[in-house]
Amino acid sequence: MKNKTDHIGIIGGGLGGLAAACTLAARGHQVTLFERNSWLGGKAAQLARDGFRFDMGPTIVTLPSVLRRIFAEAGRKLDDYLDLIRLDPQWRCFFDDGSVLDLQQNPDAMSAELDRFAPGTQSGRRYLDFIKLSQRLNDISQRYFFYKSIGGLRDMIDLKSSIDPSVMRDVLAMRMGRTVAGTVRSFTPDARVAQMMDHFTQYVGSSPYGSPAVLCGIAHMQTDEGIWYPKGGTRAVPVALERLARELGVEIRTNAHVTKILTQGNNVTGVQTAQGEEIPLQAIVSNCDAVRTHRELINGAVGARFENRRSYEPACSGVVLYLGLKRRYDHLAHHDFVFSRDPKEEFDWIYKKGEPAPDPTCYLASTARTEPETAPAGGDAMYVLVHTPYLRPHHDWKRMLPAYRKVILEKLKRTGKMPDIEERIVFEEALTPQDIHDRYHVLNGAIYGLASHGRFLGAFKPGNRSPDLKGLYLAGGAAHPGPGMPMVLMSGWIAADTLSQDVGKPNNVIPLPQRDSEMRNVAIH
């Protein structure tokens, strides 16, 4: 191994780590990526068995512009690496009263649909008003929040310029002190429409009753750039990033468990692996959970400062059922929400009581209608996700799963209009909060990193540049800007961009390797 001069280490090969590795390598840095598992991509893994193929984690791509930016760093085009299929309607909603509503990407078309769905409520016109607010919130996020390391309000807005009237208008427009749920319900009196609009923010895995209103900006992101399904499933995203990383000369070490971040004073000096190897490094991007990075890889005074800065609550976890059906349901869209009878009740159980909701919302991905190869002819590879609390000490999911599986299937039978689903299941696997905790090494089984709760500061996560340890940078769902595939990818780019600016351009930029046609055959795990 060379000395640490301009040698950057990436701990964790999830989407954030891959994005950081590609960005740094494209800028000429020597990069080694350490991944403790045998596969890259983190939660964007895949289950393939008995003729069925399931994405195990994320199932859609939103904000493809983030991916395009990462590939553009190397002068490459995303379309040469990934085949994206637009989904419209974006999802189909099944409500407890038996009604069904499609979410359409075009706001005008959606407005007309809402007028038919909820006549006399002005939900159509008010939906357009909500999208205008969402566009304003997204514009503020683009200018103050995205694509730079942010750890709090002071990082977001220069206090010296806060007396500028335009800045003050932006601050007021953020509706600080208001929640997503409160904001949504100010735009529609129809409880079903409100429940649909709440779920624009479910990518962050937090309660709309506890999340800040600024997250309503996600609605514009989705209506503006759309929802996409990559051919081959979302597993195709880390495969494409791995291919790019290898083309750029990134050294990738799988089955490489980093057990310690080495330091001298307040400076990063390298990493130590489970085999006892010490690798000197100039800087590190940790794509591990931010809290577990500090508790398990650093500890000491630096870890204590991180822990004392603020309290860090895990986001929700979930139960995922991977159901191979011998016969698909024609009434489903590619993406569906089978909604709970009462969202307030549901979120109170998950986020306040810390127990699985008795009547949950089920998210479905029915992929065979878009990519028939995911299931045997006529069948379907159905992914069912139900949000649950993050792990509590008394949760024993080996004991809890059989009973909760029945709750989920009863919900699909009743509200999802699938009364014979058990007769159609010919393959089944499950992922529980305990499985998520063990498999992905996240905090208390949280799918989405840290919760976005708090009316004022809920949108803020730990910044991408550590204020406590020089040379340490953070990426992933538990770092700025937060959870969800596009934000995790953005976090990797921000960490890499910040690091690159801090250490400067390499003295000897190595020419990029020639594109290798064999890179197209990177294995899927």
Side-chain angles (χ1 to χ4, degrees):
M1 181 68 69
K2 298 178 181 179
N3 63 35
K4 73 173 188 176
T5 302
D6 191 50
H7 187 190
I8 312 299
I10 312 290
I11 305 175
L15 293 172
L18 285 167
C22 290
T23 302
L24 287 165
R27 296 187 184 187
H29 297 276
Q30 179 191 354
V31 179
T32 298
L33 186 151
F34 304 89
E35 170 53 54
R36 67 187 293 169
N37 294 311
S38 61
W39 74 92
L40 299 180
K43 299 184 193 74
Q46 194 171 83
L47 171 64
R49 201 173 302 156
D50 296 350
F52 295 97
R53 192 185 75 213
F54 304 87
D55 284 313
M56 294 191 70
T59 58
I60 56 175
V61 170
T62 57
L63 290 183
S65 58
V66 181
L67 269 172
R68 294 187 190 283
R69 185 170 192 157
I70 293 165
F71 279 82
E73 286 278 352
R76 309 290 168 83
K77 292 182 179 180
L78 175 65
D79 295 341
D80 292 336
Y81 293 74
L82 208 58
D83 184 5
L84 293 174
I85 303 167
R86 185 188 298 273
L87 300 178
D88 198 7
Q90 298 187 327
W91 66 60
R92 183 161 291 159
C93 307
F94 295 87
F95 298 99
D96 207 53
D97 66 355
S99 57
V100 179
L101 175 65
D102 281 354
L103 174 64
Q104 300 178 48
Q105 180 177 347
N106 182 279
D108 291 324
M110 190 65 215
S111 174
E113 179 63 24
L114 288 174
D115 283 335
R116 289 190 293 270
F117 181 75
T121 65
Q122 297 187 321
S123 289
R125 178 181 64 81
R126 296 294 284 151
Y127 177 78
L128 293 177
D129 292 339
F130 173 77
I131 293 298
K132 287 179 182 177
L133 169 67
S134 178
Q135 184 172 4
R136 177 77 193 280
L137 293 173
N138 177 62
D139 176 65
I140 292 169
S141 295
Q142 293 288 348
R143 286 186 285 119
Y144 296 110
F145 193 72
F146 292 156
Y147 291 108
K148 58 183 177 179
S149 179
I150 298 289
L153 193 60
R154 288 174 179 265
D155 299 326
M156 182 175 169
I157 297 175
D158 181 1
L159 295 179
K160 293 181 181 179
S161 65
S162 62
I163 57 174
D164 186 317
S166 65
V167 175
M168 288 303 299
R169 284 194 295 271
D170 288 337
V171 171
L172 292 173
M174 289 170 62
R175 297 190 167 209
M176 297 186 75
R178 299 189 64 177
T179 65
V180 167
T183 300
V184 163
R185 281 152 186 78
S186 71
F187 284 90
T188 178
D190 189 279
R192 300 165 302 171
V193 176
Q195 199 169 16
M196 179 200 75
M197 291 165 65
D198 280 342
H199 278 67
F200 278 119
T201 64
Q202 283 309 285
Y203 305 109
V204 302
S206 303
S207 170
Y209 294 90
S211 303
V214 69
L215 294 180
C216 290
I218 296 173
H220 173 71
M221 301 177 201
Q222 186 169 311
T223 56
D224 182 42
E225 292 200 33
I227 282 181
W228 302 82
Y229 174 78
K231 190 171 182 181
T234 50
R235 177 67 196 156
V237 174
V239 168
L241 288 167
E242 179 181 355
R243 176 185 156 201
L244 177 64
R246 292 186 184 277
E247 289 177 0
L248 298 176
V250 175
E251 179 190 7
I252 295 176
R253 294 189 180 189
T254 54
N255 298 305
H257 181 191
V258 171
T259 56
K260 187 176 182 180
I261 292 175
L262 303 174
T263 62
Q264 185 172 5
N266 283 329
N267 292 275
V268 160
T269 60
V271 297
Q272 184 180 73
T273 69
Q275 290 74 34
E277 183 184 7
E278 294 189 356
I279 299 104
L281 297 166
Q282 181 185 22
I284 291 169
V285 176
S286 177
N287 186 211
C288 302
D289 178 271
V291 176
R292 294 188 71 172
T293 292
H294 287 81
R295 287 180 184 172
E296 299 170 17
L297 301 184
I298 302 171
N299 213 324
V302 171
R305 283 198 297 274
F306 177 86
E307 297 273 7
N308 293 334
R309 186 166 291 114
R310 58 185 287 192
S311 60
Y312 298 99
E313 180 190 10
C316 71
S317 188
V319 168
V320 187
L321 300 181
Y322 307 99
L323 304 179
L325 306 185
K326 63 184 178 182
R327 194 167 70 257
R328 76 183 63 157
Y329 286 101
D330 293 333
H331 70 285
L332 297 178
H334 185 112
H335 293 288
D336 308 87
F337 280 105
V338 179
F339 281 120
S340 64
R341 66 192 171 211
D342 182 340
K344 185 69 164 61
E345 173 194 63
E346 177 188 14
F347 291 122
D348 279 351
W349 274 85
I350 297 172
Y351 297 101
K352 291 185 177 180
K353 295 182 179 182
E355 301 295 340
D359 187 72
T361 292
C362 303
Y363 163 74
L364 310 181
S366 175
T367 55
R369 66 201 61 252
T370 303
E371 190 174 12
E373 293 82 0
T374 61
D380 202 0
M382 183 183 289
Y383 166 109
V384 183
L385 167 65
V386 172
H387 284 165
T388 66
Y390 60 84
L391 280 175
R392 293 340 197 252
H394 65 281
H395 287 170
D396 178 1
W397 275 99
K398 287 184 179 178
R399 176 185 58 82
M400 296 163 63
L401 179 61
Y404 207 55
R405 173 187 179 274
K406 291 181 181 179
V407 170
I408 294 169
L409 292 183
E410 286 302 317
K411 185 67 182 177
L412 297 180
K413 290 177 185 179
R414 186 180 68 256
T415 308
K417 307 179 189 298
M418 292 174 266
D420 63 342
I421 187 168
E422 287 181 284
E423 299 169 19
R424 299 194 187 195
I425 297 172
V426 293
F427 171 86
E428 181 172 354
E429 290 283 351
L431 200 67
T432 69
Q434 187 65 55
D435 296 326
I436 293 166
H437 178 81
D438 296 340
R439 179 180 172 90
Y440 300 118
H441 316 289
V442 293
L443 185 64
N444 294 357
I447 300 175
Y448 306 93
L450 300 177
S452 299
H453 293 153
R455 294 171 184 241
F456 290 91
L457 300 178
F460 296 107
K461 303 293 182 290
N464 308 94
R465 178 198 287 117
S466 169
D468 305 311
L469 191 58
K470 186 177 179 182
L472 175 64
Y473 301 81
L474 303 173
H480 173 76
M485 181 182 282
M487 299 308 165
V488 166
L489 290 165
M490 191 186 296
S491 79
W493 183 91
I494 297 170
D497 179 66
T498 307
L499 187 163
S500 186
Q501 291 187 47
D502 288 349
V503 304
K505 186 177 180 180
N507 292 327
N508 298 306
V509 178
I510 302 171
L512 298 182
Q514 293 298 309
R515 304 178 71 170
D516 186 348
S517 60
E518 293 183 0
M519 294 295 177
R520 296 183 182 273
N521 299 319
V522 174
I524 294 178
H525 296 280

